[in-house]
Amino acid sequence: MAAQSTTGTLTIAILDSDALAIQAICHNLSRIVPQSSILWHTPVSDLALQRCLSAETAPDVFIVDMVLVDASVIAVCHDIRRATDSIGIIGLTSYDPHVHQADLAHMGIQALIPKARSNGAIGAALRRLAQGRAYDPDGTGLSDAATAHARLTDATRLWQPLSEREDEVLQLFFQGKSTAQIAEELTVSRNTIYTHANRAMRKLHARTRAEALAIWRKYAAPKP
């Protein structure tokens, strides 16, 4: 679970590309949760993952701006949660939390806070996460870190192998190509591409294409 460090200070790390937003978060945290400390912040997803999975730089709580959510950021949160249950993950969003609901289970986060009410909610969320619990006042189905970790660890054992064409379609989507472009390249209809993508999503137990791509990128993509 996301318990406080042995020093009694709750260490926090931030993934956000907006320097002003990072400054605001740091300022608010020092005021709302004085026993917290910013361990590090970065705009780079891969660097955030590396630091979270290193014993020397792993925080108690990891905060990510949900505006950044794409296949790579979903994969970062997923990889952190699958690797450990000792880091609580908080998402900050500018939208209704339910907009992100399809990706939340795969990301394994413990709190999703609208930025409009982050000043009051983030303190409550940090206290819940420090106790190893989830903070979910909006009812988006979030789990505590230990439960999410167990679910993601078990889920990888249940995936079915992709067909050669399903794998090819996901690879082309990962390259940023549209459904129409992929259909033209493979000389098939758009409906055929939708069928291959949907089959791949079912096999990977993904509820969105972004979630399927995050899983595929980490575990199912052909290795060089």
Side-chain angles (χ1 to χ4, degrees), residues 2 5 9 17 34 42 50 52 55-56 65 101 104 114 125 127 145 147 158 175 188 196 198 223:
S5 63
T9 299
S17 61
T42 180
Q50 178 184 339
C52 283
E56 290 76 18
D65 186 350
Q101 191 162 8
L104 297 182
R127 285 188 288 273
T147 301
L158 303 176
Q175 292 171 3
V188 296
H196 288 309
N198 287 334
K223 302 299 184 287

Side-chain angles (χ1 to χ4, degrees), residues 13-95:
I14 303 170
L15 172 59
D16 198 321
S17 61
D18 186 336
L20 291 178
I22 291 174
Q23 289 179 9
I25 292 171
C26 293
H27 173 74
N28 288 335
L29 286 175
S30 65
R31 178 174 54 84
I32 299 168
V33 190
Q35 69 273 27
S36 66
S37 174
I38 304 300
L39 190 61
W40 50 263
H41 56 77
T42 180
V44 182
S45 298
D46 288 344
L47 181 56
L49 177 60
Q50 178 184 339
R51 289 177 174 176
C52 283
L53 298 186
S54 168
E56 290 76 18
T57 52
D60 297 316
V61 177
F62 178 59
I63 298 176
V64 59
D65 186 350
M66 298 293 284
V67 172
L68 298 173
V69 168
D70 55 19
S72 64
V73 175
I74 292 173
V76 166
C77 292
H78 171 86
D79 289 353
I80 292 170
R81 179 53 60 241
R82 186 171 184 271
T84 180
D85 63 1
S86 64
I87 300 174
I89 305 176
I90 296 177
L92 298 179
T93 179
S94 300
Y95 307 103

Side-chain angles (χ1 to χ4, degrees), residues 153-173:
T153 301
D154 291 341
T156 59
R157 304 190 187 110
L158 303 176
W159 295 338
Q160 301 175 48
L162 302 181
S163 70
E164 183 176 345
R165 182 47 63 94
E166 290 161 359
D167 187 87
E168 185 177 18
V169 167
L170 288 189
Q171 184 170 6
L172 292 171
F173 274 124

